[in-house]
């Protein structure tokens, strides 16, 4: 497209790469921060709907489980070159976090509330992903059918 050659007139190749790296780091930081905010909101809503705890003890005990995701992220650094390894670490981290979540909250909840507490985030994430994926696929199909 000629953009790269035009940018080389003003910046060095290393400067362009550094600027792109900083822009991508900022973009990924913003995406992951937004996903964490959504996750915390969904967790607090599920505790609001299904837990009888009004003092917030359940929320404080469950928040300590975020260390599990830090450990999973650290383990994923060793498997960056292998997509199968990253996927298995992601699934294993989520399973361990779910077991921790259920283990911490099971003494204070009956079975029906515990099932609701587990399936509410699953339902909300499924709905959010579907709401994003459907228009994305429609847009992809409409752009893919354009003559280029």
């Amino acid at each position: 497209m000629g953009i790269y050659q035009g940018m080389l007139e003003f910046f060095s190749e290393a400067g362009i790469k550094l600027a792109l790296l900083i822009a991508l780091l900022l973009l990924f930081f913003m995406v992951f921060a937004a996903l964490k905010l959504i996750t915390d909101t969904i967790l607090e809503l599920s505790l609001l709907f299904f837990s009888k705890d009004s003092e917030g003890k359940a929320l404080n005990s469950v928040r300590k489980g975020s260390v599990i995701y830090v450990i999973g992220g650290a383990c994923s650094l060793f498997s960056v070159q292998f997509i199968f390894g990253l996927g298995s670490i992601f699934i294993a981290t989520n399973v361990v976090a779910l077991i921790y979540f259920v283990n911490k909250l099971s003494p204070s909840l009956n079975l029906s509330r515990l099932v609701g507490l587990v399936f509410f985030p699953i339902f909300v994430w499924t709905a959010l992903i579907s709401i994003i994926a459907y228009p994305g696929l429609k847009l992809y199909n409409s752009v893919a059918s354009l003559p280029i």
Side-chain angles (χ1 to χ4, degrees):
M1 295 175 76
I3 296 174
Y4 186 69
Q5 292 297 329
M7 289 181 70
L8 279 176
E9 293 177 9
F10 298 105
F11 304 108
S12 67
E13 185 177 346
I16 293 172
K17 288 181 181 179
L18 181 65
L20 286 174
L21 176 69
I22 290 171
L24 287 174
L25 286 174
L26 183 64
L27 176 76
F28 280 111
F29 175 78
M30 289 188 297
V31 167
F32 289 132
L35 287 174
K36 184 180 182 326
L37 183 64
I38 292 169
T39 301
D40 286 344
T41 304
I42 292 171
L43 173 68
E44 290 177 12
L45 274 175
S46 64
L47 286 172
L48 177 69
F49 290 151
F50 297 105
S51 178
K52 293 180 184 177
D53 182 26
S54 61
E55 298 174 8
K57 292 179 184 176
L59 180 63
N60 287 334
S61 67
V62 171
R63 279 197 176 153
K64 294 175 186 172
S66 62
V67 173
I68 296 168
Y69 287 106
V70 172
I71 293 169
C75 290
S76 71
L77 291 175
F78 299 111
S79 174
V80 171
Q81 298 294 326
F82 308 105
I83 192 72
F84 180 73
L86 286 174
S88 61
I89 290 171
F90 176 73
I91 291 171
T93 302
N94 283 322
V95 168
V96 169
L98 177 67
I99 291 170
Y100 177 81
F101 181 73
V102 170
N103 190 24
K104 281 293 186 181
L105 294 177
S106 62
S108 64
L109 300 174
N110 60 13
L111 183 62
S112 63
R113 287 181 180 267
L114 193 61
V115 168
L117 194 68
V118 169
F119 282 107
F120 180 76
I122 293 171
F123 172 73
V124 171
W125 277 112
T126 304
L128 286 174
I129 290 171
S130 299
I131 288 170
I132 299 294
Y134 180 71
L137 285 174
K138 293 281 281 184
L139 180 65
Y140 174 77
N141 285 334
S142 66
V143 169
S145 67
L146 290 174
I148 297 177

